[in-house]
Amino acid sequence: MTAVAEGRKQDWLDLFAPDALIEDPVGPSFLDPSGNGHRGIDGITAFWDDFISTIAGFRFTIADSFANGDCCANVATITTTMADGSTMTIDCVLIYKVDEDGRITSLRAHWEPDRAMATITKP
């Protein structure tokens, strides 16, 4: 989360296993019309370039976290700020799975795009 908030692309990419999968959000959406997610470093890099890099600021608030074995589920609110100063709030559950080296193999972000879009506020 810190790497994303600080715009540190390579540090963020280094957290992922080579064949990792990001589903953000899970299922078909405007971010992933097929609903198949973004797989491997090339897919995850494209996800950063196409979406994460377009956001001027991120603030992550973790309300609760549940770690079990190689998985962790975070109940979170992500507040994004666009270049024009508008904001959007994303209430979500983020589920991470890691391999034996601690690298992320799966990131599943459960949130509702329509619900998030309804929170957009203009400066």
Side-chain angles (χ1 to χ4, degrees):
M1 292 176 211
T2 301
V4 170
E6 294 179 358
R8 297 187 341 249
K9 177 181 174 179
Q10 191 58 54
D11 289 346
W12 185 73
L13 291 172
D14 290 345
L15 297 172
F16 291 90
D19 62 344
L21 175 65
I22 292 179
E23 297 171 89
D24 186 356
V26 172
S29 72
F30 67 93
L31 296 174
D32 178 18
S34 71
N36 293 324
H38 311 276
R39 183 170 294 281
I41 296 303
D42 289 344
I44 293 168
T45 298
F47 180 72
W48 177 286
D49 293 342
D50 294 343
F51 303 110
I52 294 174
S53 71
T54 67
I55 306 298
F58 288 89
R59 185 176 72 239
F60 294 89
T61 305
I62 306 300
D64 214 339
S65 187
F66 304 91
N68 303 95
D70 61 358
C71 292
C72 182
N74 293 321
V75 179
T77 298
I78 303 169
T79 304
T80 60
T81 303
M82 310 309 165
D84 68 357
S86 61
T87 63
M88 181 172 70
T89 302
I90 303 164
D91 292 316
C92 57
V93 175
L94 306 169
I95 301 172
Y96 297 85
K97 186 171 183 177
V98 297
D99 63 17
E100 59 279 349
D101 296 321
R103 295 178 108 190
I104 300 167
T105 60
S106 174
L107 167 54
R108 303 187 82 217
H110 294 268
W111 58 282
E112 299 172 358
D114 290 342
R115 182 174 162 178
M117 297 293 280
T119 70
I120 293 175
T121 60
K122 300 289 182 184

